[in-house]
Amino acid sequence: QVQLVESGGGSVQAGGSLRLSCTTSRYFYNTHCMGWFRQELGKGREPVAVVYPGDGRGIYADYVKGRFTISPDDDNAKATVYLQMDNLRPDDTATYYCAAGRYNLYCRLAGEEYSYWGRGTPVTVSS
């Protein structure tokens, strides 16, 4: 059974930073797009950023570009993807979910292409 284990959520004031981590199996790390999505209470899920660990090229939703950075760990054995979140705003408040979807030439921000999901980690940004 695939496991995606998230950590790093918490509470921070506007303008602050948090780093989320998502650890999975090495098999999934090497063969799947890894992504972060978020969902605010009462709203739909929205994409944040995705990456294929094999090339490290992140793809970002417009509302996080320039503030968030997704990156795979240089140590392949750790099979961990990070989401560095800087200059956080109150509207970034949500539960953040790590997801994995089979890699096929490129990764996209479409949630329906991700078959495996973590349990989520909450992020709260206060003004």
Side-chain angles (χ1 to χ4, degrees):
Q1 184 174 353
V2 177
Q3 279 194 316
L4 299 169
V5 180
E6 303 115 328
S7 63
S11 298
V12 66
Q13 288 191 323
S17 299
L18 286 172
R19 188 177 79 157
L20 307 183
S21 300
C22 174
T23 301
T24 186
S25 70
R26 289 185 65 179
Y27 169 76
F28 265 70
Y29 190 74
N30 291 320
T31 59
H32 284 62
C33 296
M34 302 292 295
W36 289 96
F37 296 77
R38 68 187 186 186
Q39 186 167 17
E40 190 176 349
L41 192 63
K43 296 186 177 180
R45 182 183 63 202
E46 60 181 18
V48 175
V50 299
V51 68
Y52 173 53
D55 61 26
R57 289 184 298 161
I59 301 170
Y60 300 90
D62 287 344
Y63 36 83
V64 303
K65 280 182 181 177
R67 301 188 299 122
F68 291 13
T69 304
I70 189 170
S71 61
D73 196 292
D74 290 339
D75 184 352
N76 187 273
K78 292 185 178 179
T80 297
V81 172
Y82 304 100
L83 183 69
Q84 177 66 40
M85 305 186 293
D86 297 319
N87 193 19
L88 282 159
R89 308 186 304 218
D91 60 1
D92 293 317
T93 296
T95 297
Y96 284 68
Y97 296 89
C98 179
R102 173 70 69 173
Y103 175 73
N104 186 17
L105 300 181
Y106 54 85
C107 299
R108 297 203 301 172
L109 288 166
E112 60 269 23
E113 296 187 0
Y114 293 75
S115 301
Y116 306 95
W117 295 82
R119 294 187 174 184
T121 184
V123 171
T124 302
V125 185
S126 58
S127 57

